Amino acid sequence: MINSRFLPLTRKEFIHIRRDPRSVLILLMMPLLMMFIFGYAINMDLKNIRVGVCDLDRTPVSRDLIETVDASSYFDVVRRYDDPRMTEGLFRQRAVRAAVIIPADFSRNLGGAGSAVIGLVTDGTDANSATLAQNYLESLFLSRSLSAGGVGLPVRVKTRIFYNPDMESAHFVVPGIVALLLIMIGALLTSVTIAREKETGTMEQILTSPIRPYEVVLGKALPYLILAFLIAVFIIIFGHLWFKVPMLGSWTWLMVFCLLYLFTALAIGLLISTLVATQQVAMMLSLAATLLPSVMLSGFIFPISSMPRPLQVVSQIIPATHFLKIIRGIMLKGNGPLELWPAVAAMVAVGLFFISLAIWRFQLKLQ
């Protein structure tokens, strides 16, 4: 009984699998790709943390301390400056993520009283990284004190946290969630537009009309851009009021940059809609193409500087990578266009790249 029904049906399914090599390839490659990304991206260790050093002591002892920090694989001393008042400016420009301030009486106190205090400042906009950087530096100074053979702890650390002194996790997480929701919603809204035309059979009417490819793509993007912008305003205001995320910058600039981010998300959705034939596949692909990379590779949870170089390059074509810098910079640091223009320029370039690909793909269909 089983042989007469079960085995022929099984044989038929094997034949279907053999005739669909692309699905088999996807099934084989997807676990490898996921294992590669997860294995390297899920890394809570910090490496190559950019550190600024303000050495007011300028003695061999202080220089030796700086060399100890720079020799560590966790830190890169990228700025040396003489005025402690420059510290906040370096954080606003995202030039450093931690700063060590060595007071003028450091070596004198170390030689006289046997102990001295140094200042350590971290960036609270990324609470996890700030805590890890602080712990790493304190451990480094502790190890150096113990290796010096002195009694007690010769080098004591006085810490200060900029922008999020209470280390509220909501201040770090909520802007990241806004970035994730907007890229996902924006891509979902437009990913079904051209696929819907294909399913309903109205694509032929568009193909026979004198309309140009860019007019079709931009005409489909504009209504969803307005709708996505209204959703974005609601999400951001809700996060600000409900979770008490501070707003230190300009609402106007945040809304302008939010529009550019949504344009990039809609461009990704339009490109996906030109690649697939059904709305269902378009929605699944848009979720896979936006949600997973934005969570894993944008710096939302895992620090980009700790990832391998190839993944760091891939992270630069993910729009959320740049929007996270923008929204955290505006809301938590009070940044403006002068500090954020590199991230804005990169985000716009990614958006133009995807919208150009979408127009090119649609042009192929017209031909």
Side-chain angles (χ1 to χ4, degrees):
M1 180 66 70
I2 292 179
N3 287 341
S4 64
R5 297 180 181 176
F6 176 76
L7 292 180
L9 185 62
T10 304
R11 181 172 174 273
K12 171 179 167 293
E13 290 305 316
F14 273 117
I15 293 173
H16 279 304
I17 293 172
R18 191 186 64 191
R19 290 176 178 175
D20 189 8
R22 286 190 298 180
S23 298
V24 176
L25 184 63
I26 291 173
L27 288 173
L28 291 175
M29 293 301 297
M30 184 176 292
L32 289 176
L33 185 62
M34 302 278 279
M35 184 67 76
F36 180 79
I37 294 176
F38 288 174
Y40 284 107
I42 300 178
N43 184 356
M44 299 302 291
D45 294 335
L46 286 180
K47 295 178 182 175
N48 305 319
I49 305 169
R50 299 187 305 276
V51 178
V53 175
C54 179
D55 183 8
L56 301 176
D57 191 43
R58 299 179 187 174
T59 61
V61 177
S62 65
R63 285 193 288 273
D64 182 55
L65 187 70
I66 296 170
E67 291 303 320
T68 302
V69 175
D70 202 18
S72 168
S73 61
Y74 299 118
F75 305 103
D76 288 335
V77 177
V78 295
R79 290 293 181 92
R80 298 172 189 247
Y81 55 101
D82 301 322
D83 188 350
R85 290 173 295 184
M86 295 173 60
T87 304
E88 186 167 2
L90 293 175
F91 278 96
R92 285 177 60 87
Q93 298 164 11
R94 302 182 65 84
V96 299
R97 297 177 66 182
V100 177
I101 300 174
I102 303 175
D105 55 357
F106 176 73
S107 60
R108 188 169 61 249
N109 289 339
L110 202 61
S115 66
V117 177
I118 61 172
L120 172 60
V121 186
T122 54
D123 187 347
T125 57
D126 186 342
N128 292 336
S129 298
T131 304
L132 288 172
Q134 182 177 319
N135 292 338
Y136 284 179
L137 278 169
E138 288 180 342
S139 299
L140 192 67
F141 295 141
L142 175 62
S143 301
R144 187 182 181 282
S145 298
L146 294 175
S147 64
V151 179
L153 301 177
V155 179
R156 290 180 287 117
V157 179
K158 185 176 182 181
T159 60
R160 183 180 175 187
I161 301 171
F162 278 167
Y163 310 118
N164 187 9
D166 298 327
M167 302 295 277
E168 293 282 347
S169 59
H171 297 183
F172 165 70
V173 172
V174 171
I177 293 175
V178 171
L180 291 184
L181 290 176
L182 294 187
I183 191 79
M184 187 177 65
I185 292 172
L188 266 177
L189 285 174
T190 50
S191 64
V192 299
T193 54
I194 296 176
R196 187 193 304 125
E197 302 281 2
K198 295 174 186 174
E199 279 191 328
T200 56
T202 53
M203 177 59 77
E204 289 75 10
Q205 298 175 8
I206 296 177
L207 295 177
T208 54
S209 67
I211 193 167
R212 296 176 179 173
Y214 73 88
E215 292 172 338
V216 175
V217 172
L218 296 181
K220 286 186 171 295
L222 184 59
Y224 293 107
L225 182 63
I226 296 171
L227 179 59
F229 181 70
L230 295 176
I231 296 172
V233 171
F234 171 75
I235 292 174
I236 293 173
I237 291 177
F238 181 80
H240 171 62
L241 296 178
W242 187 264
F243 292 101
K244 310 296 183 187
V245 180
M247 181 61 187
L248 303 181
S250 164
W251 280 104
T252 303
W253 281 117
L254 180 59
M255 292 300 113
V256 170
F257 296 146
C258 192
L259 265 177
L260 296 175
Y261 181 57
L262 288 171
F263 166 76
T264 304
L266 298 178
I268 294 173
L270 284 170
L271 176 62
I272 291 172
S273 70
T274 62
L275 297 172
V276 300
T278 65
Q279 297 180 65
Q280 185 179 8
V281 176
M283 287 191 288
M284 291 176 60
L285 189 57
S286 64
L287 281 176
T290 56
L291 191 58
L292 184 63
S294 298
V295 171
M296 303 298 297
L297 303 176
S298 68
F300 171 41
I301 298 175
F302 309 108
I304 295 176
S305 61
S306 301
M307 299 176 189
R309 190 64 187 168
L311 287 185
Q312 291 186 27
V313 174
V314 172
S315 72
Q316 297 307 306
I317 62 172
I318 298 173
T321 301
H322 310 292
F323 188 68
L324 274 173
K325 297 176 184 175
I326 293 170
I327 188 170
R328 284 175 178 163
I330 292 178
M331 296 190 77
L332 303 181
K333 291 184 177 180
N335 284 161
L338 285 179
E339 293 90 3
L340 297 173
W341 72 265
V344 175
M347 187 173 68
V348 172
V350 172
L352 291 175
F353 171 72
F354 282 118
I355 198 70
S356 300
L357 274 182
I359 293 173
W360 175 70
R361 281 286 310 170
F362 192 74
Q363 197 168 20
L364 284 181
K365 290 186 176 299
L366 286 178
Q367 291 173 354

